[in-house]
Amino acid sequence: KNEVEQSPQNLTAQEGEFITINCSYSVGISALHWLQQHPGGGIVSLFMLSSGKKKHGRLIATINIQEKHSSLHITASHPRDSAVYICAVLNYGGSQGNLIFGKGTKLSVKP
Amino acid sequence: KAGVTQTPRYLIKTRGQQVTLSCSPISGHRSVSWYQQTPGQGLQFLFEYFSETQRNKGNFPGRFSGRQFSNSRSEMNVSTLELGDSALYLCASSLPAAGDTGELFFGEGSRLTVL
């Protein structure tokens, strides 16, 4: 069993829909990252959180440490949101680079 | 402010050769980490450097090595290349001295093809 599980693996939505991507993990963590990867490879860090909730524009990330679960929400989705979204956790005692990654959720938003 | 720069962006090698990839972090960032991304395994952590010292290493064979220079630029080397080493190699830099938590800034990656 992977230490970081994401669902769904693939997601197709219509423009304007509310989207939720889930991430569950089985290890103790000090932080969780949500990353976005567009075709071509470049990765952008969307959020880093260790508790509660963060919001940036149309994106909201939440984490429940007790339940070992995080969600990424996209409100009013747009075709430019089409990308792979990756959850990554930083193990307790691990330094910055020692991340464990989920397999990613491929999002396609249709106009 | 310039982002993280990786060179080369694309390269093709043959089995048995070696390759060196370079990563220049954002100015002022002292932590550089390296990752391998393949369709089968996804993203996997290779190693992390901070102030010229390897701070952590992932579960990769000794053919994978790296180093960091005094200006924080980092290189990774893969010797005796195998077909399975074909991948996108990404580096990321971050600012915090403590190294535990901090936003990661990724480069565009170096896409290696081994024939």
Side-chain angles (χ1 to χ4, degrees):
Chain A
K1 186 180 186 296
N2 293 329
E3 293 166 303
V4 180
E5 297 275 1
Q6 285 186 238
S7 63
Q9 282 186 298
N10 294 282
L11 181 56
T12 300
Q14 287 297 126
E15 184 173 356
E17 285 185 358
F18 180 85
I19 289 163
T20 296
I21 299 170
N22 296 298
C23 175
S24 296
Y25 52 91
S26 58
V27 296
I29 71 168
S30 56
L32 181 145
H33 294 258
W34 279 104
L35 309 171
Q36 180 193 57
Q37 185 172 32
H38 280 284
I43 292 179
V44 174
S45 176
L46 298 174
F47 295 102
M48 186 194 65
L49 62 168
S50 54
S51 65
K53 176 179 174 179
K54 286 190 176 181
K55 183 176 190 292
H56 181 73
R58 295 180 294 106
L59 302 179
I60 302 167
T62 64
I63 187 168
N64 185 317
I65 296 294
Q66 288 72 32
E67 294 186 4
K68 296 189 173 180
H69 181 269
S70 175
S71 293
L72 175 68
H73 305 286
I74 304 175
T75 61
S77 59
H78 190 275
R80 65 175 174 267
D81 297 326
S82 298
V84 175
Y85 292 83
I86 302 167
C87 167
V89 302
L90 186 61
N91 246 177
Y92 276 144
S95 58
Q96 179 69 310
N98 196 3
L99 292 172
I100 306 171
F101 296 88
K103 295 293 186 188
T105 294
K106 185 174 182 180
L107 171 65
S108 177
V109 181
K110 306 294 185 187
Chain B
K1 196 174 187 180
V4 178
T5 304
Q6 289 189 247
T7 56
R9 291 289 314 280
Y10 303 91
L11 65 166
I12 299 173
K13 294 284 187 179
T14 57
R15 278 182 299 174
Q17 286 186 311
Q18 66 136 19
V19 66
T20 299
L21 308 177
S22 177
C23 173
S24 293
I26 290 172
S27 177
H29 286 194
R30 296 168 64 190
S31 171
V32 174
S33 47
W34 287 90
Y35 306 88
Q36 181 196 65
Q37 186 176 36
T38 60
Q41 298 297 319
L43 273 163
Q44 294 181 281
F45 167 71
L46 278 160
F47 26 66
E48 186 216 359
Y49 289 88
F50 181 81
S51 292
E52 302 178 64
T53 300
Q54 188 179 84
R55 197 152 63 169
N56 241 307
K57 189 176 191 302
N59 191 23
F60 278 81
R63 300 184 297 107
F64 292 80
S65 63
R67 59 178 175 168
Q68 187 180 34
F69 302 95
S70 58
N71 62 357
S72 294
R73 189 177 72 85
S74 177
E75 288 181 348
M76 67 162 283
N77 183 276
V78 187
S79 62
T80 319
L81 284 166
E82 301 176 359
L83 294 178
D85 297 333
S86 295
L88 179 66
Y89 290 89
L90 291 151
C91 84
S93 74
S94 64
L95 180 61
D100 274 343
T101 55
E103 186 179 1
L104 289 172
F105 295 85
F106 285 84
E108 292 293 314
S110 293
R111 188 168 295 279
L112 170 65
T113 301
V114 182
L115 302 176

